[in-house]
Amino acid sequence: MPSSDSLAAVAVLRLAVGLLSTLVNGATTTGVLLWDLGLFIYNLLSKNLPANRVVPEGQPGAGGLWPQYQPPQEGSSRCSCPALNALANHGVLPRDGRNISFQQLNQTVSFDLSDIDVHNGIEHDASLTREDSIFQKDQGKPSPKLIERLLTGGTGPNGDLTPADLSRISGYRRTEAKQQNPQFSLSFNHKMFGSSNSSTLLTIFGGRIDDLRPFLLEERIPDGWQSRITHPMGLTIAEFNSTVFKVELGIKEELPASLGFGGVHEDQTKKHA
Ligand code: HEM
């Protein structure tokens, strides 16, 4: 039986390791956020890139020229993320969506796209382009019904999507999923993931329906497309999060009815509802 002295030594060691890892994590997060703030300020002070020169020369998509699109073949792996699927459909990632290496971690670690769809890992209920996993096990399959709802819900110029549209449609989708799915769950973190995903449609795609139609329905990058973010240092966390919070805080359907916003009594995905 271990002596009380050795138990105390183990306890002290664990406390010390715990404290050290908290300090290291805190310092890393602070470092990343400070670096990001620097890039944000640099972006504010610099000239934007020309809209047709966003992708650097020599990279796939430079000059709007993307490798040829091929839809997934029998046996290909696809996932719940339209962007990763589109990169595989264009051959920027392996076309079969398998054995993708995490180069930054270790050359031997590899994954298939469908591996990221572990439910309530990153993948969650109430997505805007996928039925909940209880109804659609294969999260690589887009839902044309949900996507059409999203694409016809824009109130911006040319029917483009605005942050208010994404809040309204997300709110409706969450309420609907909660009513239909007996195993519905959506933690605070998953709500933030959801609003972050929506915000890529507003930032990187500028909310433009003409580009989002092929991207979401076929998971194809439109000919000539380049990111709508033209800042020389790209999309910083600071800039991105301002859209994420706008979308998330604009979701009113989940607030108590006593505040005058609660409940969904009609299809609030509709414009001007
Ligand atoms: C390594 C980088 C990425 C990973 C691992 C990733 C992973 C995921 C996952 C797991 C989901 C599903 C979440 C859900 O259940 O709704 C998702 C959704 C989504 N992702 Fe990504 N993603 C990445 C990068 C991107 C980028 C760069 C974009 C935009 C250009 C993007 C756009 C989207 C969109 C729009 C959705 C929402 C789909 C929906 O609501 O149904 N993703 N992503």
Side-chain angles (χ1 to χ4, degrees), residues 72-218:
Q73 309 293 303
E74 182 76 29
S76 295
S77 179
R78 291 293 183 266
C79 65
S80 50
C81 176
L84 297 179
N85 290 345
L87 290 177
N89 291 340
H90 283 271
V92 180
L93 288 176
R95 288 191 183 274
D96 65 1
R98 296 189 183 278
N99 300 312
I100 300 168
S101 68
F102 280 104
Q103 274 168 349
Q104 67 276 37
L105 288 183
N106 186 322
Q107 284 290 351
T108 59
V109 177
S110 69
F111 73 104
D112 296 350
L113 285 177
S114 60
D115 293 341
I116 66 170
D117 286 346
V118 176
H119 186 52
N120 280 342
I122 315 179
E123 192 283 315
H124 55 78
D125 286 335
S127 304
L128 297 179
T129 70
R130 302 299 194 259
E131 299 292 347
D132 286 357
S133 61
I134 189 177
F135 303 121
Q136 173 55 271
K137 247 190 147 25
D138 182 355
Q139 287 288 298
K141 288 207 164 42
S143 160
K145 188 185 95 189
L146 291 178
I147 294 173
E148 209 51 59
R149 171 196 281 179
L150 182 61
L151 293 173
T152 53
T155 60
N158 308 315
D160 291 349
L161 289 166
T162 66
D165 296 328
L166 262 307
S167 300
R168 191 184 73 250
I169 298 168
S170 301
Y172 180 80
R173 178 80 186 104
R174 288 180 190 177
T175 313
E176 170 190 69
K178 203 183 291 178
Q179 283 165 358
Q180 293 174 351
N181 177 352
Q183 290 175 16
F184 178 81
S185 69
L186 197 64
S187 67
F188 173 75
N189 282 348
H190 287 122
K191 287 181 182 176
M192 294 308 290
F193 282 159
S195 290
S196 302
N197 290 331
S198 314
S199 297
T200 63
L201 305 177
L202 298 168
T203 50
I204 297 170
F205 286 89
R208 298 192 193 192
I209 294 300
D210 288 352
D211 292 337
L212 289 173
R213 182 165 286 283
F215 174 66
L216 294 177
L217 284 171
E218 299 168 62

Side-chain angles (χ1 to χ4, degrees), residues 24-36:
V24 169
N25 286 344
T28 309
T29 307
T30 309
V32 169
L33 292 180
L34 283 176
W35 177 250
D36 184 76

